[in-house]
Amino acid sequence: MVIPAEAFISIPTPLYVVMWLEFLVFVPFSISHYCGPFKEEWAKFSSLGLARMLFWSGEMLNGVGAWVLMFMLGSALWQGTISLVEIEILFLSHALWYGVIIAMAPPWPANLMICLINPHTYLFMGVVVTGWGLPRP
């Protein structure tokens, strides 16, 4: 059942479980990306201060996107309801994150290993399997 515009529905139990797993897995990552210290490996990549700042900035921007999604997930979980916009953002964020994972993956067969060890893979599949009928087609 597609969620009607401007309506909130009760989160189906399987999707509710997947959303809690996602929230519990990604909140610590969100905090570490946004609030984490400078990583020494960035200093090894470049001796230029501007390049090091860009590494750190990219890490923080990743954290910002994750914070926004975790805020939305936390709000939906707290209320026990989800709207059309929220489910579509959830699907879109997974598609975008997974696109980056695939784009940055090494060649075969290492790319298969990257996909198999990444929690995004299983949470993306969980969201698709448990929430496939909720967004607009």
Side-chain angles (χ1 to χ4, degrees), residues 21-68:
L21 286 171
E22 184 163 348
F23 188 76
L24 294 173
V25 167
F26 288 122
V27 162
F29 286 115
S30 302
I31 293 169
S32 70
H33 283 301
Y34 187 71
C35 302
F38 182 82
K39 296 179 181 174
E40 288 305 316
E41 57 265 22
W42 297 337
K44 294 176 185 173
F45 291 140
S46 178
S47 61
L48 300 174
L50 180 60
R52 292 177 182 179
M53 184 186 72
L54 288 174
F55 280 122
W56 202 350
S57 174
E59 185 83 359
M60 289 183 73
L61 286 172
N62 187 20
V64 168
W67 270 96
V68 171

Side-chain angles (χ1 to χ4, degrees), residues 2-126:
V2 174
I3 301 173
E6 307 296 324
F8 286 84
I9 66 162
S10 202
I11 301 171
T13 302
L15 180 60
Y16 190 76
V17 170
V18 170
M19 288 172 64
W20 263 112
L21 286 171
E22 184 163 348
F23 188 76
L24 294 173
V25 167
F26 288 122
V27 162
F29 286 115
S30 302
I31 293 169
S32 70
H33 283 301
Y34 187 71
C35 302
F38 182 82
K39 296 179 181 174
E40 288 305 316
E41 57 265 22
W42 297 337
K44 294 176 185 173
F45 291 140
S46 178
S47 61
L48 300 174
L50 180 60
R52 292 177 182 179
M53 184 186 72
L54 288 174
F55 280 122
W56 202 350
S57 174
E59 185 83 359
M60 289 183 73
L61 286 172
N62 187 20
V64 168
W67 270 96
V68 171
L69 184 62
M70 291 308 110
F71 175 80
M72 184 200 74
L73 276 179
S75 174
L77 290 168
W78 179 263
Q79 296 171 3
T81 61
I82 195 162
S83 69
L84 177 63
V85 169
E86 290 170 334
I87 194 71
E88 289 180 343
I89 289 172
L90 184 60
F91 270 79
L92 182 61
S93 67
H94 275 289
L96 293 171
W97 272 332
Y98 216 74
V100 170
I101 291 166
I102 291 172
M104 297 294 133
W108 177 264
N111 60 356
L112 180 61
M113 287 306 298
I114 295 296
C115 292
L116 290 176
I117 63 172
N118 196 318
H120 280 290
T121 301
Y122 302 102
L123 291 169
F124 188 23
M125 288 189 304

Side-chain angles (χ1 to χ4, degrees), residues 123-136:
L123 291 169
F124 188 23
M125 288 189 304
V127 166
V128 170
V129 168
T130 61
W132 65 272
L134 297 177
R136 291 176 281 192

